[in-house]
Amino acid sequence: MLRVGTMCALPDVLRDLGEDPKELLSRCGVDASIFDDPDTPISHATRSEVVAFCMAATGCEHFGLLVGRKMPLRGFGALGLLMRYSRDLRAALRSLVEYRRFQVHGSMIHFTESTQAAELEYEMYAKDRTTPDQIGDGVIGGLYSVLKELCGPKWEAKEVRLKRPRPTNVAPYQAAFSCSVVFSADRNAVVFDPGWLDTPFSRYDRDLVAYLEKSMGVFAGSTGGDFTRDVRGALRKAILAGEATAPALADTFGVHERTLHRRLTDEGTSFHELLDEQRFDLARVLLEDAKLPIAEVAKRLGYTAASSFCRAFRRWSGMTPETWRERRKMFDYRLLS
């Protein structure tokens, strides 16, 4: 689930494209009044269906991008307020990473910095992926807009990276981002000069920040079961990055390793169970590529030897990776014939 506030600009974009939001959304089976309250929860599947329907109805192939670029900071609700009155951009982005995961489930935002660049990366791990390109465009467009709103008109990105294939018409992307845009990238991300991170915000309000952090901390503590869901998503990224260890994952969530294990235990699972689960899921995805050697699949999943991966896969599925791949190929053939 996620807050509808993350796509609060959608009705305005429809109006810009000459459509009546109320009439068009009703044809999609959605009451336009849900956009009146940004805290209204909707599912990832519903968001994807709405975006796909609007894109088809308007004929606009970059509909998600338009919605994202109109995204205001207030769309994040109390989190947006916390970011606006933070000490500086670094503090605002750390709050975004820490608290957004309690507002939006099924995706994560990662913040990294080095002496050369700062980067906000978006990763979706929800099962429904009807319109991944549109959603990726929208979230990155939204992050770009929020950074511009926080830092002022002089802020510019160094580069925007999009996993989507290069569209036929790149003009809307060039107009939306005043920087280099890389398509078919390995991740969805906004890259910018790290010098902006220490720029103090003139509107910093220590008391308000403390109050909002306390309020959001209480909310975060009451969302039972969501931590496991977020850990699943973080593990997928960590496995492929070769960093799928409990200490590394604990650092990702800003908690002690003991806290990580305790929270997972409280939700009826464990780090090793989730690691096994995500490795099996990713293994099946990688095995879909018949040209990828088994040894390479094992390496990408963090196994030092292909034999170890094969034993694990047999434990998961009752068959070897080669047998699974052959059966999958036969299944696909029957579907096509």
Side-chain angles (χ1 to χ4, degrees):
M1 301 297 290
L2 64 151
R3 298 168 62 258
V4 77
T6 59
M7 51 191 298
C8 62
L10 186 142
D12 287 339
V13 172
L14 288 175
R15 292 187 191 95
D16 292 343
L17 295 174
E19 298 287 346
D20 179 348
K22 184 176 181 179
E23 189 276 331
L24 191 149
L25 289 171
S26 68
R27 286 193 276 131
C28 184
V30 173
D31 188 337
S33 65
I34 66 170
F35 291 94
D36 295 339
D37 180 1
D39 288 324
T40 301
I42 62 170
S43 68
H44 282 274
T46 298
R47 177 180 65 172
S48 293
E49 290 169 5
V50 169
V51 170
F53 185 86
C54 291
M55 182 175 65
T58 61
C60 179
E61 297 184 353
H62 55 280
F63 185 82
L65 175 66
L66 295 180
V67 173
R69 281 296 282 118
K70 277 184 170 286
M71 169 76 175
L73 190 58
R74 61 178 172 79
F76 286 102
L79 174 55
L81 196 64
L82 172 59
M83 294 171 66
R84 182 182 297 281
Y85 290 97
S86 292
R87 179 188 300 276
D88 51 32
L89 184 60
R90 179 182 285 103
L93 297 184
R94 284 178 175 171
S95 293
L96 173 64
V97 172
E98 172 64 21
Y99 296 113
R100 178 188 177 275
R101 57 195 174 93
F102 299 109
Q103 290 188 342
V104 180
H105 306 294
S107 66
M108 291 190 73
I109 289 178
H110 305 276
F111 166 50
T112 57
E113 61 173 297
S114 67
T115 55
Q116 289 77 35
E119 180 174 314
L120 274 182
E121 177 190 350
Y122 166 74
E123 180 186 23
M124 182 176 180
Y125 55 88
K127 292 294 185 181
D128 182 83
R129 300 188 179 187
T130 308
T131 54
D133 293 345
Q134 296 294 317
I135 300 304
D137 290 351
V139 175
I140 293 302
L143 292 177
Y144 185 97
S145 296
V146 164
L147 285 165
K148 177 79 79 172
E149 186 174 345
L150 285 171
C151 299
K154 291 185 179 180
W155 178 88
E156 295 293 349
K158 297 177 70 172
E159 182 179 81
V160 164
R161 304 180 66 84
L162 297 172
K163 294 177 71 173
R164 65 160 301 133
R166 181 183 179 88
T168 304
N169 182 13
V170 299
Y173 295 85
Q174 294 171 336
F177 306 116
S178 301
C179 62
S180 170
V181 181
V182 178
F183 297 102
S184 299
D186 59 343
R187 60 193 183 280
N188 291 307
V190 181
V191 183
F192 59 96
D193 190 323
W196 285 99
L197 296 171
D198 295 313
T199 303
F201 288 174
S202 60
R203 49 190 173 269
Y204 171 53
D205 188 321
R206 182 180 61 184
D207 293 338
L208 180 57
V209 165
Y211 172 77
L212 289 169
E213 285 181 335
K214 182 178 180 180
S215 299
M216 298 195 74
V218 170
F219 170 76
S222 67
T223 53
D226 296 327
F227 187 66
T228 297
R229 189 181 311 174
D230 290 334
V231 168
R232 281 193 176 98
L235 263 176
R236 292 179 73 88
K237 177 181 175 65
I239 289 169
L240 295 176
E243 301 171 351
T245 66
L249 197 66
D251 186 62
T252 296
F253 287 95
V255 298
H256 193 280
E257 186 180 347
R258 289 194 302 271
T259 303
L260 171 75
H261 290 304
R262 186 179 67 250
R263 290 185 66 175
L264 292 176
T265 298
D266 290 344
E267 295 185 7
T269 187
S270 70
F271 170 78
H272 292 294
E273 285 179 9
L274 294 178
L275 178 60
D276 238 22
E277 169 194 293
Q278 294 305 307
R279 273 178 162 167
F280 184 33
D281 190 33
L282 284 170
R284 286 175 290 181
V285 172
L286 294 172
L287 288 170
E288 292 275 1
D289 183 357
K291 296 180 181 179
L292 195 65
I294 300 298
E296 180 61 23
V297 173
K299 181 180 178 182
R300 293 191 187 185
L301 294 177
Y303 289 94
T304 55
S307 57
S308 299
F309 164 62
C310 291
R311 284 195 298 273
F313 196 88
R314 182 184 288 276
R315 173 167 54 83
W316 297 329
S317 66
M319 64 186 78
T320 65
E322 293 89 346
T323 301
W324 185 92
R325 180 176 269 173
E326 287 300 317
R327 291 190 179 184
R328 179 65 186 182
K329 187 188 301 181
M330 182 61 67
F331 176 74
D332 290 341
Y333 172 77
R334 288 173 180 172
L335 285 179
L336 293 172
S337 59

